[in-house]
Amino acid sequence: MHSTAEPSGTTEKNTETAGEPVAIVGIAALHPEAGNLTDFWRLLTGGPHDADVADDADDTDDSAAKDGAGPADDVDGPDRPDDVGGTGGAEREVPGPGLDGVRIDVARFRIPPAQAGAMARLQLLMLEAARRCLEDAGGADRALDRDRTDIVVGTCFGLDRQYANALRVEGRRYARELRRAAAGSSDPRTRENAAQAEEELRSVLRRRLGASPHDRVGEMASTIPARIASAFRLRGRTLALESSDATSFVGLAHALTALRAGACDAVLVVTGQRRESPLLERVLAAKGLEHGLGEGVGALLLKRLSTAERDGDRIHALVRGCSLTHEARPGPFGRSTSAVRHRANLRQALREAGRGAPVQYVEHATPSPAGSRPGDGTAGAVPGEHPADSPASSPAGSPDDTGPDSRTGRPPAAPSADGAPAQPASTCPEAAEPGAGPVPFVRRTADRLGHTLANAGVAAVSTVALALRHRTVPAASPGDVAVQWPAPEGGAPRRAVVAGSSLTGTVCHVVLEEYRPRKARPRVPARPAIAEPVAVVALGGRFAGAPDAGAFWRTVLSGRDAFAPFDENVLDRDLFHAPGALSLDSSYTDRGAALRVPATPPAGVRMDPGRYAALDAAQRLALTVAAELFGRRSPGEAGLRGRPGMVALGSTLGLGRDRHAHTLASLPRLDAAASELTALKHLSPQESARLLAQVHRRYPEQAGLVTSTLFDEALASGSAALIAGQFGLDAVPVAVEAACASSLAALDLAVGALRSGAVDYAVAGGVELPCNERDLVLCSALGLLSHDRITPFDEAADGFTPGDGCALFLLKRLSDARRDADEVLGVVRGIGGSNDAKSLIAPDADGQVRAMRQAFGQVDFAPADVDYLEAHGTGTKVGDRVEITATGEVYGGPRRSRPLDIGSAKSFFGHTFAAAGGAGLLRALLAMRAGTLPPNANLDRLNPALRLSDIPATVSTRAGVWPRPEGRPRRAGVSSFGTGGINYHLLIEEDLPHSRTDSA
């Protein structure tokens, strides 16, 4: 994540020294035409078994061969079958329609039968890919520290269960409209059967679309990494993310950052794309994507090279460098068209990789440009596919003109008139090094696989890793054959680049290198004791009854919550409210903390009102809060423009706009079901059509549904991309879902990027609007909601109350903030994450303790030196008890000089889902700035079972003075725990004037 601008001093310092290489020790690939890794390699090579291709290579002059490593040998690793996937070909599938042809043994993942039917199909596919990747690496029980193995999942757009649940909920309204239309019919029999038709259609939809108490958990993207963690007992951090077709690259960059920082010892990156809806292909076509949407699921298991060598892992290849940048443009999203930006980003990736052989092979993660021959990798055909996509900084010399065409494997073309060899497919006239020539091998595996969006980068990286391991370049296109990858001059390891770009303007480059065993293996580096502090230099928030951060704090000081009965435009009580009933189709509560989403763009944001109105509500809300964030100092005044940055927002990865668009596109399915009802069988086709036409009057937006900007409006990372574009930030946009811990997971992503030097600033936080009929119905079905209002830590706690909200924070490294004379509103000192790896629903104290201790492992103070805890405060008896138990284990003890004060923003604004951690951090920062310990609302009688005096701790109902302890700043912890056993804990402190010179 770097910019075309000259890097700051900090960034320059960190990027001039190449980081430790990261080893790819496991790979999995599932595609419609390749059900396992062996078939995937065969598909790429277009020829015989991989060993036949690799073993025929004459690499006698290669230094690896001299060390005893043959082309396809496992170097210093466990014995394996002669099979790319490590399975001996025992799990070959017969390709079926798309990824549905992949057979999966659900029982092996210990999924309770009650939950299996509510799971998204992609969740199962990713579980299987994770299993195969771990098996390829020798198995989950081999050389894997379960407490220090993270899971990063990447998906793009909604999942099948999200669409099915949304359609089922909306189907109740459709059924009511059908009853009303039938009741107004001139036909007596139709009028008589109106009520029967409504009930019959509801029953049909429940049966066809499925309905379960576990639908809410089963549909969530963040349940995928949580399910993987539970299946394989991996207890590191877990999150799902999306960044359009840069999703894989953002996930990979985050993994490299975490590994090199010592935050974990292994990362399992799993990405996937499935044709969940026919609408998606129409949306992509309207956006201008000329290639069909492909399906694919891939996985990579990554370790630091020193760790992999210590563990005796078989290493496919090394990741030496990874760089991402973003082109900020207002208006509709599009790929970067800046050749300068592509070249600069590539040079940054090569600088990070360090010295090595010239790049011989470029793999593009996107399909061929329009007008080019599939697979030829022609550069410069369309904007955004400039020759800069090829590694201009370090290309190889011209290919051997006596050998086969490196592009197709065919005999070479005739020389040109001046006797020079024929021009290769992709040349690099912008070479950064004198005398640099063309890259001999350019490939686009995406031409065979289709454009797999979220999976595109992992598919490309897997392709190159296998090619490096087998010293064989994949076939250029169907009908061609793979070619031997010649050894570079001087015996250096082979090197390749994976290039990608996203439809939101992000440019990506990854440098991979052949693994060569080292004579002397260095010791695994020690984990850093104290992490670099990160400053919060601006903040903003909008919640129910609080249009900005100032109003948020005034509401807290008032002691009165923001809960109220929902307006009819939020909850149709006639359809969806059933007090006291636990139902799959209705909500037993009608209260929450809903906010009104702005109808016009905020001041300073220039956007066509029509385009703004078409955005998802979360996107409009995030833009409004971003305007507050930059209200005091614009990005230009703050010196952010032209600098490398990130916008990481906690969010559901399935926006309401996406789900609603799919529901509208699925109305013909409802029509077909209605036409088959027994109650309406007496109608002729013409009469039935007239009846359904009356129902359709309820859905006028169905006309003109697919537009060129629907992609932008339905994309979860669109909120972040809009902020980057509208405020002129060269900041890579990413949406992060970690259930209720999404905001802090996004903060973790941003803090890691800042500490690594990859970015100079980050906008991080969370946004979600769960006050809607769909979420109310799904959460009510599982009994998660309070019947009245949320009361954290109260004896009467019976669940949570939903609330809408958004909180955003502008972050910089503390040293940079002081250099730039920024006002520091608070300092992030540590952040830890973990997964329970047990139940997806019930919280676990051990998992929460691990997250807290991981955060304290990054700081130089003890839990007893923390004054206030902004708790998750789920408002359930079990959740409150588990959280206080975990808090006592970490924060309790005789060293505490005064009781720990505990509170929760949820008592005022409800559970804001992905924005919950942001609300907690906002409250803690504002309290710290004011020197006031914040009160809690609705606490009538503290639950005695919590035994707060054992910590000791207190939960106050009135605001109090927050004394500053002598010799140290005020400090607070912020907890956020999510469904799926996802845990994050943040440590912050105030920035005291006397400490400015100490660390300047």
Side-chain angles (χ1 to χ4, degrees):
M1 301 164 207
H2 296 273
S3 169
T4 56
E6 287 299 317
S8 68
T10 305
T11 305
E12 182 75 20
K13 176 184 67 178
N14 286 333
T15 58
E16 283 301 312
T17 302
E20 181 178 3
V22 168
I24 300 175
V25 300
I27 302 176
L30 301 176
H31 293 269
E33 297 181 10
N36 57 42
L37 199 55
T38 302
D39 289 344
F40 181 69
W41 182 241
R42 288 181 181 135
L43 178 67
L44 299 177
T45 56
H49 191 281
D50 57 280
D52 296 334
V53 176
D55 288 342
D56 287 342
D58 181 11
D59 277 339
T60 55
D61 62 335
D62 197 303
S63 61
K66 294 174 183 177
D67 288 336
D73 290 341
D74 293 329
V75 179
D76 290 333
D79 293 332
R80 281 179 174 74
D82 189 13
D83 183 275
V84 177
T87 64
E91 296 195 24
R92 298 191 63 177
E93 284 83 7
V94 177
L99 285 174
D100 290 342
V102 178
R103 293 195 299 268
I104 301 173
D105 180 5
V106 179
R108 78 189 337 152
F109 299 118
R110 303 187 302 277
I111 298 169
Q115 299 178 14
M119 292 175 61
R121 171 66 178 171
L122 190 59
Q123 186 180 143
L124 286 172
L125 289 164
M126 288 185 152
L127 270 168
E128 180 67 7
R131 182 189 69 81
R132 296 187 187 193
C133 185
L134 293 171
E135 183 178 280
D136 182 59
D141 294 326
R142 183 187 176 280
L144 208 57
D145 186 335
R146 295 175 187 271
D147 285 347
R148 292 181 54 78
T149 298
D150 292 352
I151 303 169
V152 178
V153 160
T155 69
C156 193
F157 290 105
L159 306 178
D160 56 357
R161 290 309 307 163
Q162 293 175 339
Y163 294 141
N165 292 334
L167 185 59
R168 176 172 59 84
V169 172
E170 183 58 35
R172 286 179 62 88
R173 181 174 286 108
Y174 181 101
R176 182 183 65 181
E177 297 304 314
L178 179 65
R179 170 177 57 80
R180 289 175 174 175
S185 172
S186 59
D187 176 52
R189 187 175 176 185
T190 302
R191 292 198 301 272
E192 181 182 346
N193 291 353
Q196 178 187 342
E198 178 182 25
E199 187 53 42
E200 187 182 351
L201 181 57
R202 289 180 178 180
S203 177
V204 168
L205 294 180
R206 280 194 297 269
R207 186 175 66 253
R208 292 186 181 180
L209 299 173
S212 163
H214 300 281
D215 281 338
R216 171 63 186 174
V217 176
E219 73 166 18
M220 296 167 61
S222 57
T223 299
I224 300 175
R227 184 77 74 178
I228 294 171
S230 176
F232 303 106
R233 300 290 187 258
L234 304 177
R235 295 180 286 269
R237 295 171 297 177
T238 52
L239 59 91
L241 55 79
E242 179 265 297
S243 186
S244 183
D245 33 358
T247 296
S248 288
F249 294 99
V250 173
L252 183 62
H254 174 57
L256 299 180
T257 296
L259 286 166
R260 288 171 172 168
C264 58
D265 289 338
V267 182
L268 180 60
V269 180
V270 189
T271 60
Q273 192 70 47
R274 185 170 175 262
R275 294 189 186 93
E276 306 284 8
S277 164
L279 178 65
L280 181 53
E281 291 195 84
R282 294 170 56 197
V283 170
L284 292 171
K287 188 66 180 174
L289 187 69
E290 300 172 346
H291 302 274
L293 176 67
E295 291 192 314
V297 178
L300 301 170
L301 182 61
L302 309 173
K303 292 183 179 181
R304 289 180 297 275
L305 175 57
S306 56
T307 305
E309 289 182 327
R310 178 201 66 190
D311 295 342
D313 291 314
R314 185 270 314 278
I315 297 173
H316 287 286
L318 303 179
V319 180
R320 296 300 307 262
C322 177
S323 184
L324 281 66
T325 190
H326 188 77
E327 182 176 354
R329 291 184 301 183
F333 302 158
R335 297 195 189 279
S336 170
T337 58
S338 170
V340 171
R341 190 175 300 275
H342 282 252
R343 287 196 299 270
N345 191 67
L346 175 59
R347 291 192 185 104
Q348 176 60 41
L350 290 166
R351 275 199 298 270
E352 183 181 314
R355 294 187 177 275
V359 172
Q360 298 170 288
Y361 168 23
V362 177
E363 176 68 43
H364 292 270
T366 53
S368 296
S372 65
R373 175 179 176 273
D376 70 5
T378 302
V382 295
E385 296 290 346
H386 194 274
D389 281 356
S390 298
S393 301
S394 185
S398 301
D400 182 358
D401 61 350
T402 62
D405 188 310
S406 63
R407 188 167 51 79
T408 65
R410 296 169 181 161
S416 61
D418 60 3
Q423 184 85 337
S426 178
T427 57
C428 302
E430 308 87 353
E433 298 178 2
V439 176
F441 302 110
V442 180
R443 297 290 187 267
R444 291 182 185 268
T445 301
D447 286 339
R448 293 190 178 197
L449 304 177
H451 191 23
T452 57
L453 286 182
N455 183 57
V458 163
V461 169
S462 299
T463 296
V464 174
L466 293 173
L468 284 165
R469 180 186 162 201
H470 297 291
R471 302 171 191 167
T472 300
V473 179
S477 61
D480 295 325
V481 296
V483 294
Q484 178 185 337
W485 188 336
E489 294 183 5
R494 295 166 177 82
R495 180 173 279 195
V497 164
V498 174
S501 64
S502 83
L503 287 164
T504 53
T506 299
V507 178
C508 322
H509 290 93
V510 180
V511 181
L512 290 97
E513 192 172 86
E514 179 182 20
Y515 171 64
R516 300 281 182 80
R518 295 183 286 186
K519 301 294 185 183
R521 296 179 179 176
R523 292 189 302 174
V524 176
R527 299 167 191 168
I530 301 175
E532 183 171 9
V534 170
V536 180
V537 298
L539 53 77
R542 192 179 185 99
F543 295 83
D548 54 33
F552 176 96
W553 182 240
R554 288 192 294 274
T555 299
V556 169
L557 292 179
S558 75
R560 296 186 298 272
D561 67 52
F563 306 135
F566 291 125
D567 292 341
E568 281 296 318
N569 66 334
V570 174
L571 179 67
D572 187 329
R573 286 174 173 78
D574 177 53
L575 278 179
F576 298 110
H577 186 217
L582 197 62
S583 164
L584 297 177
D585 299 315
S586 60
S587 169
Y588 52 77
T589 186
D590 66 343
R591 298 177 64 86
L595 61 74
R596 294 187 182 275
V597 178
T600 57
V605 173
R606 301 180 63 181
M607 182 181 290
D608 176 76
R611 183 182 179 227
Y612 181 82
L615 296 176
D616 184 86
Q619 296 175 339
R620 285 179 278 149
L621 180 58
L623 270 178
T624 300
V625 176
E628 179 191 356
L629 188 75
F630 295 117
R632 295 182 63 184
R633 292 182 72 191
S634 69
E637 294 169 336
L640 303 182
R641 290 195 175 130
R643 312 299 301 176
M646 168 186 280
V647 182
L649 298 189
S651 168
T652 171
L653 297 192
L655 293 186
R657 182 79 172 94
D658 179 22
R659 302 188 204 203
H660 184 60
H662 175 271
T663 296
L664 293 175
S666 299
L667 286 181
R669 294 177 60 190
L670 300 183
D671 294 344
S675 300
E676 297 170 0
L677 297 176
T678 303
L680 301 178
K681 274 294 186 183
H682 64 280
L683 295 177
S684 69
Q686 294 78 13
E687 291 171 329
S688 178
R690 285 195 295 270
L691 184 69
L692 296 180
Q694 294 184 52
V695 177
H696 279 222
R697 293 174 184 171
R698 176 66 179 75
Y699 304 97
E701 65 269 45
Q702 184 185 15
L705 172 64
V706 179
T707 66
S708 61
T709 58
L710 182 56
F711 176 94
D712 305 12
E713 300 152 11
L715 190 68
S717 65
S719 301
L722 282 163
I723 292 173
Q726 292 299 319
F727 291 94
L729 304 174
D730 290 343
V732 175
V734 56
V736 179
E737 183 181 316
C740 319
S742 298
S743 285
L744 294 197
L747 262 290
D748 186 39
L749 207 74
V751 167
L754 282 163
R755 287 173 171 170
S756 73
V759 301
D760 288 342
Y761 66 91
V763 175
V767 58
E768 192 161 357
L769 294 95
C771 293
N772 61 74
E773 292 164 340
R774 182 190 64 253
D775 282 327
L776 286 168
V777 168
L778 297 184
C779 291
S780 181
L782 196 55
L784 300 176
L785 303 178
S786 170
H787 288 76
D788 182 22
R789 64 187 66 208
I790 186 172
T791 56
F793 312 118
D794 194 278
E795 189 176 35
D798 68 339
F800 67 78
T801 301
D804 299 334
C806 177
L808 299 179
F809 308 91
L810 179 59
L811 310 176
K812 286 184 175 181
R813 288 177 289 272
L814 179 59
S815 57
D816 290 353
R818 289 174 174 170
R819 178 200 64 199
D820 298 339
D822 290 315
E823 181 182 15
V824 178
L825 306 179
V827 180
V828 176
R829 292 297 312 275
I831 184 165
S834 71
N835 192 279
D836 297 343
K838 292 181 179 178
S839 169
L840 293 183
I841 302 172
D844 178 67
D846 291 341
Q848 295 177 11
V849 165
R850 284 194 300 274
M852 294 178 188
R853 287 181 172 160
Q854 188 181 103
F856 277 104
Q858 302 169 20
V859 301
D860 54 357
F861 54 86
D865 297 322
V866 174
D867 316 305
Y868 173 69
L869 173 65
E870 178 64 29
H872 181 64
T874 188
T876 65
K877 287 185 174 64
V878 172
D880 290 348
R881 186 178 67 250
V882 169
E883 180 171 11
I884 294 301
T885 299
T887 299
E889 186 168 338
V890 175
Y891 282 92
R895 289 191 57 193
R896 180 163 291 282
S897 60
R898 62 182 302 276
L900 176 70
D901 205 281
I902 298 177
S904 176
K906 290 184 182 66
S907 65
F908 289 91
F909 303 101
H911 194 342
T912 52
F913 289 27
L921 177 57
L922 180 62
R923 190 168 112 121
L925 286 169
L926 293 173
M928 189 178 290
R929 294 280 293 172
T932 300
L933 290 168
N936 294 274
N938 305 317
L939 184 64
D940 293 331
R941 186 171 187 273
L942 193 67
N943 187 351
L946 300 180
R947 302 180 62 177
L948 291 175
S949 59
D950 291 352
I951 297 178
T954 61
V955 180
S956 303
T957 56
R958 293 184 179 181
V961 175
W962 186 342
R964 180 181 293 141
E966 185 177 355
R968 70 165 176 85
R970 299 181 180 97
R971 294 191 177 110
V974 181
S975 289
S976 204
F977 309 131
T979 303
I982 301 174
N983 311 300
Y984 278 86
H985 190 70
L986 184 71
L987 295 172
I988 60 172
E989 67 182 22
E990 62 182 338
D991 185 39
L992 293 180
H994 71 78
S995 66
R996 292 176 181 268
T997 55
D998 294 343
S999 59

